Amino acid sequence: DVKVTQSSRYLVKRTGEKVFLECVQDMDHENMFWYRQDPGLGLRLIYFSYDVKMKEKGDIPEGYSVSREKKERFSLILESASTNQTSMYLCASTWGGLGETQYFGPGTRLLVL
Amino acid sequence: SQQGEEDPQALSIQEGENATMNCSYKTSINNLQWYRQNSGRGLVHLILIRSNEREKHSGRLRVTLDTSKKSSSLLITASRAADTASYFCATDGGGAQKLVFGQGTRLTINP
């Protein structure tokens, strides 16, 4: 079975802090994604990566950056956390085309105070 | 931009009944997928149906796709309390090369 893990289930940070969310998948998938999920807004794509060191902006990249130094690991970085970044963050990975079945991690619920 | 829109937003039924959720989308697609999310957890893939397929089954799940109407439905038969979750459709938007998710249907199965 594909396993996607995220570094934290719950995280509390202060405004202005630099925040790292890490995601690791164990199935050698080329593509990895970061979403945020908010009530009434559904899942929104922040960034995705289709190969090591390659990244593409999603629909809401402002305030975020990403890093993919190794194939299995995709990190989401909040350079200076703000309260409007309080959300549920979901990582996913997939093999083949970017529109194929995605395998999700358990999510990180981030609270920025 | 939202590609998939689920209907209804919330559904509450008795255990043992069938649950039907609908999804409508706007642009052409290569495939449409359904996912389940238990409260506070990640999404779990349920089923993928390609644009040249009309119906697909997986256990108690039945998915139909009508590309002429740009709509899909998910039927869960003989519902169980464990089916309580949110259900999302996702489309690849044809050449969009990414999945776009709807806002989901929250299904509650009452014992």
Side-chain angles (χ1 to χ4, degrees), chain A residues 41-106:
Chain A
L41 296 175
L43 272 77
R44 293 180 291 168
L45 181 64
I46 305 172
Y47 266 98
F48 65 98
S49 168
Y50 53 89
D51 201 352
V52 176
K53 297 191 186 295
M54 306 304 289
K55 60 187 179 185
E56 291 282 345
K57 293 179 180 179
D59 299 319
I60 51 163
E62 297 79 18
Y64 303 94
S65 62
V66 290
S67 172
R68 191 158 181 211
E69 297 296 319
K70 293 185 178 181
K71 193 174 186 180
E72 67 271 17
R73 189 180 298 268
F74 191 34
S75 301
L76 180 70
I77 303 153
L78 286 66
E79 295 289 342
S80 178
S82 63
T83 54
N84 63 13
Q85 291 178 311
T86 290
S87 186
M88 173 72 137
Y89 289 87
L90 293 163
C91 172
S93 71
T94 186
W95 60 273
L98 292 167
E100 294 295 324
T101 299
Q102 293 192 6
Y103 297 87
F104 282 81

